[in-house]
Every structure is written in C-alpha cells, then in structure tokens.
Amino acid sequence: MSERKLKSRKKLVILSGAGISAESGLGTFRDSDGLWEKYDINDVATIDAWYKNKKLVLDFYNARRIQNIAAQPNLGHLALVDLEDYFDVYIITQNIDDLHERAGSSNVTHLHGEIMKGKSEHDEGLIFDLKHPEIQLGDKAADGHQMRPHVVWFGEAVPMMNKAEEIMVDADIVLVVGTSLNVYPAANLIYSCPTDAVKYIVDPNDIPVNSEFTHLKGTATSILPKLKTILRFQE
Ligand code: NAD
C-alpha cells in the first residue's frame, strides 16, 4: 500500500486563477471585459516594460492594489475554507490578490507574487509588506534600490514552481478553478499530479484539458459552495 493511501485525510490541491476573483470585482486577463483589453501586456507586465517605463508599470500595479483592497472574498473563496474541515487543503494560486488569505484559507502558495508586497528591484529575495497602497518612483527598499511590486512578470523566472510541483505530486484530489491554463509554466502543474488523482475543473467556459478532468461548468460562486457535497464522496 502506498504512503498516500495510509494518510487519514485526503490531500486536496486547488490551482486557482483570475476567474475565482472575477465575482469579487477583480477583472480577469482574458475575458472580453478583462484587463488585457484595456492595457497592452507588453507595456505593463513584462520585465522589459519595467526598464522601459517604471512609472507606467508602478501606476498599473498601484491601481491593481487599490482595487484589491476594495474587493472582498466571494462565496467561492469562502467555500474553499470550509473544505479544510474534511481535507488537507493546499491552494496554489496564480493570482496576485490576497482574497484566499482574507477568506481564511490557511495554506496558500502564490506562483506569480503578491500585490500587497513589494521587493527591491536589485534583490528579488528582499520582499516586504507594503506600508502604503502605492509605490512611487523613488521609493526605496531597505537596500537603497527602487521598490517594485512583488509580482512575477512575463520574462521572469517563477521561483515558487518547485514548491508548487512538490505540493501537486502526491495530491489525491485536484481542483482547477478560474484559469484558462494559458500561462506557463503554471499551466504545466496539472501534469505534476498522480494519474489516479481525482480531477475537477470549475469554469463557465470550456477549457482544453484531458478527459481525466470532470468539468463542473459554472462560475466559482455557483459551483464551489456545492463542492463540499460533491467531494464528501471522495473523503
Ligand atoms: P485568465 O484571465 O487567463 O482566465 C480566467 C479564467 O477564468 C477563464 O477560463 C474564464 O472562463 C474563467 N472565469 C471567468 N469568470 C469566472 C468565474 N466567475 N468563476 C470561475 N471562472 C471564471 O486567468 P489566469 O489563467 O489566471 O491567467 C492570467 C494571469 O493573470 C495569471 O497568471 C494571474 O497572475 C494574472 N491575473 C491575476 C489576477 C488576480 O490576482 N485577481 C487578475 C487578473 C490576472
């Protein structure tokens, strides 16, 4: 018998994306009313953009941070907290917002950083909670270098990938919610879990995943509160 089968509680790993926060008023990147429509990714979310126009990038993320502070966790985020009564729950999120934490989830790994934190542009290990909702050009980290948002931009490495793969590798149940699985390497995580893990994907749209996934079609707030009932059969 494998070590996995001897565990008393099953390990539930959730991979979340922008869609879970859509009903909290935070726009996704790829929906028609999403942020992609209003901004060019190359101008605000790449490492080249930072060196080209730091003020524009800071303004973009300052606006995201202010939006995040005003947003509240929705019934989808809250439903995932309830699942901790039955499963060992690990959330791996591509989101930079802190709505999983504010809902009360205890084990959240951010693949693409955290909007409420800043770091030094010179030392990516120098990460800190921000004291103000905005970072201005000229604001310095403790090492004397310009502060930047603690987010992973296109063109940068994803330091939390190894940890996320380690979390996925012995999952009993995998739940993918609110992600188009278009951003790599994050999207590859669905291949890191065991083939015999039970797999669900929650999304109002069809997402190209293999037949191992059961598609629960609908929004996060309509489907996730029902999961307790659906997953109890997997306990
Ligand atoms: P995406 O925009 O590519 O895809 C969003 C997915 O959510 C789509 O498949 C869409 O059908 C689905 N969706 C829309 N409304 C939903 C709802 N109410 N309930 C459930 N699903 C819903 O997002 P992504 O795959 O996460 O990739 C975008 C990247 O942008 C991520 O890397 C993330 O870091 C970043 N991002 C983060 C935030 C945030 O922190 N809230 C917001 C926008 C973008």
Side-chain angles (χ1 to χ4, degrees):
M1 189 180 285
S2 72
E3 198 181 323
R4 197 149 72 85
K5 300 287 179 247
L6 289 171
K7 288 187 307 193
S8 54
R9 294 198 342 156
K10 289 198 171 169
K11 180 173 182 179
L12 167 61
V13 181
I14 296 153
L15 175 63
S16 71
I20 195 171
S21 298
E23 291 164 279
S24 292
L26 302 182
T28 66
F29 271 7
R30 284 182 181 73
D31 291 327
S32 55
D33 59 347
L35 296 169
W36 270 174
E37 299 294 309
K38 296 172 202 148
Y39 298 88
D40 185 334
I41 172 195
N42 297 307
D43 291 339
V44 292
T46 66
I47 185 65
D48 288 345
W50 174 248
Y51 288 112
K52 196 168 152 204
N53 190 342
K54 293 182 186 178
K55 177 162 169 29
L56 181 73
V57 174
L58 288 174
D59 287 349
F60 175 78
Y61 285 98
N62 286 342
R64 304 281 74 73
R65 197 173 301 107
I66 286 164
Q67 228 179 20
N68 175 62
I69 291 166
Q72 295 301 326
N74 63 46
L75 291 177
H77 299 104
L78 294 167
L80 300 185
V81 183
D82 288 346
L83 292 175
E84 295 188 11
D85 291 342
Y86 309 100
F87 301 98
D88 287 336
V89 177
Y90 292 76
I91 297 178
I92 302 168
T93 187
Q94 298 167 78
N95 294 346
I96 57 176
D97 68 57
D98 61 356
L99 296 183
H100 283 303
E101 286 92 340
R102 280 200 272 144
S105 283
S106 34
N107 201 340
V108 184
T109 299
H110 285 267
L111 277 180
H112 296 157
E114 299 173 65
I115 189 69
M116 298 310 293
K117 294 185 179 176
K119 65 182 174 189
S120 159
E121 72 166 342
H122 184 68
D123 175 3
E124 71 167 43
L126 185 51
I127 298 166
F128 43 87
D129 291 331
L130 288 170
K131 295 200 176 87
H132 305 286
E134 299 194 344
I135 303 176
Q136 306 298 347
L137 210 51
D139 288 348
K140 302 273 195 281
D143 62 357
H145 291 273
Q146 173 68 43
M147 276 187 200
R148 54 163 278 186
H150 173 41
V151 296
V152 175
W153 288 318
F154 290 99
E156 293 190 300
V158 183
M160 298 307 273
M161 258 317 269
N162 285 349
K163 181 182 175 193
E165 281 167 354
E166 279 167 21
I167 291 170
M168 269 290 184
V169 85
D170 60 349
D172 296 299
I173 307 167
V174 173
L175 175 76
V176 175
V177 51
T179 170
S180 61
L181 295 174
N182 269 310
V183 175
Y184 288 84
N188 280 331
L189 280 171
I190 63 168
Y191 304 110
S192 299
C193 64
T195 48
D196 63 344
V198 178
K199 303 177 183 91
Y200 294 95
I201 184 157
V202 175
D203 203 291
N205 296 307
D206 290 325
I207 304 295
V209 284
N210 63 33
S211 58
E212 291 171 9
F213 280 85
T214 301
H215 187 188
L216 305 172
K217 198 164 185 168
T219 65
T221 63
S222 65
I223 302 287
L224 296 185
K226 297 179 195 156
L227 268 181
K228 205 190 297 187
T229 311
I230 296 168
L231 293 183
R232 287 300 295 270
F233 293 108
Q234 309 291 341
E235 259 183 89

